[in-house]
Amino acid sequence: MSDQETKETKMAEETNATSAQNNDRNNDRRGGRGERRGRRSRRDRNENREELLNRVVTINRVSKTHKGGRTMSFTALVVVGDGKGTVGVGYGKSHEVPAAIAKGELDAKKHMFTVPRIRGTVTHPVVGHDSAGTVMLRPAAPGTGVIAGGPVRAVLECAGVTDILSKSMGSSNAINIVRATVAALKQLEEPEEVAARRGLALEDVVPAAILRARAEGLAEERKAREEAQAKAQKDGE
């Protein structure tokens, strides 16, 4: 082999080694980006999960006797909401309590709906019925708090209602009470819907005090949103 061929062989080997190193470096970078992207997506999912409020209203133990023996299972009644006007109720069943709660959460997320509110309270008095359960809801002034029992309180807090008066006038079963509360919340209407249905102006349908409270509530939400945005920008800088 001549000196020229030896030089060409060495140059080819060095080129191959350099290209292999570059490929390894690129693969490492891609892997790092993939890991960072995976961590970011997991963090986003965790943040979305933390935004929702979960309340386990009741857990029942169910036993069934079959020809082969007795089986045991658990049922969980779960309320899920964002605390800003959206809420849902779900029912899950499994042989383990955590699995039953997880199924209840999934069922609640599938049946979420929006609750009309005016400054943390409901828009008008309403009565909800379901089976033997009957629940009455009435608006309350700011600072009143949630005057309600356990099952009703769980639904109202997850829905973001902070001031309300309630009364359960039917069955004491937690499932009936929760479903009656949901039925009552689904009957609520926005003032614009009532005015449009009656063909009247908004001022002719809604009392002036409610309109003032609604305007104040919107101003407070706008101010809080602007402060949150300003804080986020300051933290980003």
Side-chain angles (χ1 to χ4, degrees):
M1 183 181 293
S2 63
D3 295 340
Q4 184 67 23
E5 292 177 351
T6 304
K7 291 181 180 180
E8 292 179 355
T9 303
K10 290 183 179 179
M11 292 178 61
E13 292 177 353
E14 292 177 357
T15 303
N16 293 332
T18 303
S19 61
Q21 292 177 358
N22 292 334
N23 292 333
D24 294 339
R25 192 179 298 110
N26 293 333
N27 291 333
D28 294 339
R29 290 176 180 174
R30 293 194 196 97
R33 286 197 296 269
E35 291 178 359
R36 289 194 296 271
R37 191 179 300 113
R39 290 196 296 268
R40 190 180 303 115
S41 62
R42 287 194 296 270
R43 185 170 60 251
D44 295 340
R45 288 196 297 269
N46 293 333
E47 291 177 356
N48 294 333
R49 191 181 299 111
E50 291 175 356
E51 291 178 358
L52 295 178
L53 302 175
N54 299 331
R55 296 288 187 274
V56 180
V57 178
T58 182
I59 297 177
N60 294 327
R61 185 176 60 180
V62 181
S63 61
K64 290 184 178 181
T65 303
H66 302 278
K67 185 177 180 180
R70 178 178 297 180
T71 59
M72 192 74 65
S73 61
F74 298 90
T75 60
L77 181 63
V78 185
V79 181
V80 176
D82 60 355
K84 301 177 182 179
T86 304
V87 68
V89 176
Y91 196 70
K93 182 178 180 181
S94 179
H95 293 288
E96 300 292 338
V97 174
I101 295 175
K103 289 182 179 180
E105 291 179 2
L106 292 176
D107 189 36
K109 292 176 182 178
K110 293 178 183 179
H111 299 88
M112 298 185 76
F113 62 97
T114 304
V115 179
R117 300 176 301 154
I118 294 180
R119 206 177 182 187
T121 189
V122 294
T123 54
H124 56 82
V126 66
V127 178
H129 302 277
D130 189 278
S131 298
T134 301
V135 174
M136 178 185 66
L137 304 177
R138 293 181 64 86
T144 303
V146 179
I147 309 301
V152 181
R153 176 183 293 272
V155 179
L156 296 176
E157 287 181 350
C158 290
V161 178
T162 56
D163 303 293
I164 195 171
L165 302 173
S166 70
K167 177 67 175 178
S168 177
M169 301 179 294
S171 171
S172 60
N173 184 280
I175 299 176
N176 290 337
I177 294 175
V178 168
R179 290 178 176 174
T181 305
V182 171
L185 294 176
K186 288 184 177 180
Q187 295 178 27
L188 295 174
E189 294 181 306
E190 293 284 358
E192 290 82 1
E193 297 177 0
V194 179
R197 186 173 65 250
R198 296 182 181 180
L200 301 174
L202 186 62
E203 294 76 9
D204 298 334
V205 176
V206 184
I210 295 180
L211 293 177
R212 288 196 302 271
R214 187 179 187 184
E216 293 174 358
L218 293 175
E220 292 177 357
E221 292 179 359
R222 189 182 305 108
K223 184 178 179 181
R225 187 165 54 252
E226 292 176 355
E227 290 178 353
Q229 293 177 355
K231 184 179 179 180
Q233 293 178 358
K234 185 177 180 181
D235 295 339
E237 295 176 356

